[in-house]
Amino acid sequence: MPYLGPGLLELAAAPVPTTPEDLAAWLGRQVALPKRARGNCWAAAQYIETSRHRSTLDKLMATAFAPPVPPTPLHRALAAAAPPMIVDTWYDGAMRAALAGQQGWGEIQGCPHAKIGEMRWYRAWDAAGQECPPEQAAEWRTLLYKPHGGVVPAANFLLADSDYVEVLTEIDIQTPIPEDVRRRRAGGGFLFLGCRFHDQLLRSYARQILKRSGGGHLAVMGGIEMTRNERAFLEEMQIAVIDQDLPAFVTALAAS
């Protein structure tokens, strides 16, 4: 099952931030940030939410990811392959756009509790972009799971430190992980494309999504100077590294 990170957008020359560091820099150009929040998108988002209100953060994120990202050939190939689940960890809509011509799919996104009265951990939308009960996912051939939210179809973003404090409090017992994600992951392993694990939050999320999965995980991470924690995480989770950079891997995949 594909597990997509923001690095995949480098194949598309995407007009949106393509790494957490890019997003932190973009937010810093919109709002003057204190030194402690610079360079970290989650801390930057928390400062904006605290000092300017949550609605300001959501509007900035909607603006940052408003330019449509055209699906790459890899996005389209993944959509055509119709795997039981695609995990997409960035905020763009390229994977949803690639799936648009397919039948029998829908999307679940993690959602923040920042809105008054919002107590859900996640929300679901069908292929037409209409919100639906998460239980409807049992009928879909392919589930697109965006654990951090996304700009489409409803500009729903999990980003600020406060968002993650709530989620990480519960994630070890799997409450924020949708039931259909748990069911589908048991059937196999994940192929990580465009992902990094150099940040503790990224590792924490991946660890909980992989929990009780079928194993046999692979990560395309050739040419990356990995941190010590990153290497330890890959070993801990038994993720084998494919020693090719992403463009070379995609070219080889297209030729096979």
Side-chain angles (χ1 to χ4, degrees):
M1 292 169 285
Y3 190 115
L4 311 181
L8 190 58
L9 299 190
E10 294 177 7
L11 301 177
V16 300
T18 58
T19 67
E21 294 77 15
D22 284 348
L23 179 55
W26 189 92
L27 291 171
R29 291 192 292 271
Q30 316 310 310
V31 175
L33 299 172
K35 186 176 181 180
R36 68 180 185 279
R38 296 173 196 163
N40 183 301
C41 63
W42 300 286
Q46 184 61 51
Y47 175 79
I48 294 169
E49 178 180 284
T50 302
S51 64
R52 301 288 185 92
H53 200 267
R54 179 71 190 205
S55 61
T56 300
L57 175 61
D58 287 341
K59 287 176 183 177
L60 286 173
M61 285 293 291
T63 299
F65 289 92
V69 178
T72 67
L74 181 56
H75 284 106
R76 296 195 184 281
L78 294 175
M85 181 164 62
I86 300 171
V87 179
D88 184 358
T89 62
W90 204 228
Y91 303 102
D92 64 283
M95 194 65 241
R96 185 178 181 90
L99 285 162
Q102 307 296 318
Q103 299 294 319
W105 67 277
E107 178 174 0
I108 296 180
Q109 296 183 1
C111 65
H113 286 183
K115 294 180 181 178
I116 295 174
E118 179 63 83
M119 294 304 294
R120 293 174 292 180
W121 292 110
Y122 42 83
R123 300 167 64 187
W125 290 268
D126 62 20
Q130 298 297 311
E131 190 163 4
C132 62
E135 293 76 18
Q136 192 169 318
E139 304 170 9
W140 300 335
R141 180 175 60 171
T142 298
L143 166 61
L144 174 59
Y145 176 44
K146 292 181 75 74
H148 306 281
V151 68
V152 289
N156 168 66
F157 306 107
L158 200 69
L159 180 65
D161 278 339
S162 58
D163 296 336
Y164 290 114
V165 166
E166 291 188 328
V167 173
L168 294 175
T169 299
E170 295 280 338
I171 202 167
D172 193 51
I173 58 172
Q174 297 282 285
T175 309
I177 306 294
E179 181 62 35
D180 215 61
V181 171
R182 299 185 224 176
R183 180 179 66 82
R184 292 171 190 253
R185 71 184 174 189
F190 289 95
L191 172 63
F192 294 89
L193 300 167
C195 297
R196 291 293 307 273
F197 304 107
H198 58 309
D199 183 277
Q200 184 176 357
L201 188 144
L202 299 176
R203 294 192 295 271
S204 295
Y205 253 78
R207 184 179 287 111
Q208 295 302 329
I209 292 171
L210 267 64
K211 183 181 281 187
R212 302 188 187 93
S213 62
H217 311 302
L218 300 169
V220 178
M221 297 184 72
I224 293 174
E225 187 174 343
M226 287 186 273
T227 66
R228 180 171 56 85
N229 286 336
E230 210 163 8
R231 292 185 183 280
F233 172 78
L234 293 172
E235 183 176 350
E236 172 199 348
M237 302 308 297
Q238 300 181 3
I239 301 172
V241 173
I242 297 175
D243 192 17
Q244 279 185 305
D245 62 34
L246 193 57
F249 177 80
V250 172
T251 298
L253 193 65
S256 63

